[in-house]
Amino acid sequence: MNGDDDFDLQDFLPYLLNQAAEESSLAFQQIYKDRYGMLRTEWRVLFHLGLYGRMTAREIGRMSKMHKTKISRAVAKLAERRFLTRRRDVDDRRLEYLELTAAGQRAYRDLRGVAMAYDANLAAQFSPRDVATLKRMLQALAGGAE
Amino acid sequence: MNGDDDFDLQDFLPYLLNQAAEESSLAFQQIYKDRYGMLRTEWRVLFHLGLYGRMTAREIGRMSKMHKTKISRAVAKLAERRFLTRRRDVDDRRLEYLELTAAGQRAYRDLRGVAMAYDANLAAQFSPRDVATLKRMLQALAGGAE
DNA sequence: TGTTAACGGTTGTTTTTGTAACTAACAAGG
DNA sequence: CCTTGTTAGTTACAAAAACAACCGTTAACA
């Protein structure tokens, strides 16, 4: 309609990635929200602790690239719901070790199962080879300037 | 660290897509924010109008999957900055046709140029073939239940 | 026609996020 | 020791998003 070069929003990677990300996480989001009243940030912290065991907020931040304020608030909510415990490092009292409680682990394992099935289902519409390509490329794009 | 099946956050598509989307749009976001003080919603509306010409808020909503309140507010801001004009449909007075002004078109063309260069730069790290595969898959994932 | 429902769009209110400033603790150099 | 700087994490406040209720208009149909 306009004095165009050829440009299409559907080909613009940041837009396309956003659309795909939003659409593909919609139903999963619904599950952890309905089942545990969690936010995306909380779900992410839960998964980091479930997957990697005890770690500090700082480490979660480095791995997930979430801002520390988001993590702080997510941790506060998870602690309040008794999904994790906090323990100060005795040598460096700025550090706080976070660890899932039994209840937290149950929630994690439950959602991990959901996530695995969910992911398999998303991938099922493509060839395994293409899925591998997709994930490799996404990892490269997510890596940023590293 | 935990009683795991093999599961990796870096392989979970909704997470991975989100990370890639966020990282890949960071620098672009900076540009339209710095240059025109726009929000993502405003940028999107601008691009829809620039790309497809005159359309209503409802049509933008259908194409972009943005919620109508977001669109309404984005349109209000763009109108206030004289980037678009609104005109009621005489036959159905609920409808309002939106159209870019000359200033709006200039902003659109400027940002479209930035976007094209930006996208090319992102794609440059992969083979053209892989980029094609990626975009095709993202479009499928973004398509949702259609 | 009159009534009810649906639609396009806006507004108000609540949640959630982003940003900056802050506290408490440690580290390094003088 | 005592500044000065840095770090881990929290808090306060502003910006933005989500959600629901709303207005005016059109559609459906008794």
Side-chain angles (χ1 to χ4, degrees):
Chain A
M1 283 259 144
N2 260 299
D4 322 64
D5 278 277
D6 72 298
F7 174 79
D8 187 348
L9 259 184
Q10 302 309 321
D11 269 355
F12 182 46
L13 271 172
Y15 183 79
L16 193 49
L17 283 163
N18 231 307
Q19 298 278 107
E22 213 151 289
E23 181 62 39
S24 77
S25 62
L26 216 68
F28 182 65
Q29 184 166 65
Q30 209 51 50
I31 291 172
Y32 62 70
K33 188 183 152 202
D34 288 353
R35 214 176 277 190
Y36 299 99
M38 279 188 196
L39 254 31
R40 198 167 62 213
T41 50
E42 294 160 34
W43 165 83
R44 284 187 182 184
V45 167
L46 183 83
F47 265 57
H48 275 83
L49 292 172
L51 210 33
Y52 307 115
R54 193 182 70 168
M55 56 199 300
T56 67
R58 179 177 175 278
E59 290 170 320
I60 296 175
R62 233 183 337 92
M63 299 194 64
S64 68
K65 291 179 181 161
M66 279 191 279
H67 191 83
K68 59 183 184 170
T69 61
K70 269 190 186 175
I71 297 172
S72 175
R73 293 198 253 246
V75 165
K77 263 212 180 136
L78 290 171
E80 182 188 308
R81 287 169 201 181
R82 314 272 182 243
F83 276 179
L84 62 76
T85 57
R86 331 165 77 138
R87 211 179 70 225
R88 286 260 163 236
D89 184 337
V90 282
D91 292 329
D92 184 343
R93 305 217 338 275
R94 290 171 301 185
L95 297 178
E96 203 169 42
Y97 292 111
L98 307 170
E99 194 166 15
L100 294 187
T101 60
Q105 299 224 18
R106 273 194 299 280
Y108 163 63
R109 276 195 292 265
D110 175 34
L111 288 176
R112 182 188 61 194
V114 173
M116 289 175 78
Y118 192 88
D119 197 64
N121 186 52
L122 277 179
Q125 63 188 302
F126 308 108
S127 76
R129 209 178 163 291
D130 280 354
V131 172
T133 301
L134 173 66
K135 288 189 175 177
R136 176 177 53 76
M137 294 178 80
L138 291 177
Q139 279 160 7
L141 287 167
E146 300 174 69
Chain B
M1 282 260 144
N2 261 300
D4 320 66
D5 277 276
D6 71 298
F7 175 79
D8 187 348
L9 259 182
Q10 302 309 321
D11 269 353
F12 182 45
L13 272 173
Y15 183 79
L16 195 48
L17 282 163
N18 231 308
Q19 298 276 108
E22 213 152 290
E23 181 63 39
S24 77
S25 61
L26 215 68
F28 182 66
Q29 184 166 65
Q30 207 52 50
I31 291 171
Y32 62 70
K33 189 182 152 202
D34 287 355
R35 213 176 279 190
Y36 298 99
M38 280 188 196
L39 255 29
R40 197 166 65 212
T41 49
E42 293 159 36
W43 165 83
R44 285 188 183 182
V45 168
L46 183 83
F47 266 57
H48 275 83
L49 293 173
L51 210 33
Y52 307 114
R54 191 181 70 170
M55 54 198 301
T56 67
R58 178 178 175 278
E59 291 171 317
I60 296 176
R62 233 183 339 91
M63 299 195 63
S64 68
K65 291 179 181 162
M66 280 192 280
H67 191 83
K68 59 184 184 173
T69 61
K70 269 188 185 176
I71 296 172
S72 174
R73 284 172 167 131
V75 166
K77 263 212 181 135
L78 290 172
E80 181 188 310
R81 287 171 200 180
R82 312 271 183 246
F83 278 178
L84 61 77
T85 56
R86 331 165 78 140
R87 211 179 71 226
R88 286 260 163 237
D89 183 337
V90 281
D91 293 327
D92 184 343
R93 308 221 331 279
R94 291 171 300 183
L95 297 177
E96 204 169 42
Y97 292 110
L98 307 170
E99 194 164 16
L100 293 187
T101 60
Q105 299 225 19
R106 273 194 299 279
Y108 163 63
R109 276 195 291 267
D110 176 33
L111 289 176
R112 182 187 59 193
V114 173
M116 289 176 78
Y118 192 87
D119 197 65
N121 186 52
L122 277 179
Q125 64 189 301
F126 308 109
S127 77
R129 211 177 162 289
D130 280 354
V131 171
T133 301
L134 173 68
K135 288 187 174 177
R136 177 177 52 77
M137 294 178 80
L138 291 177
Q139 278 160 7
L141 287 167
E146 298 173 70

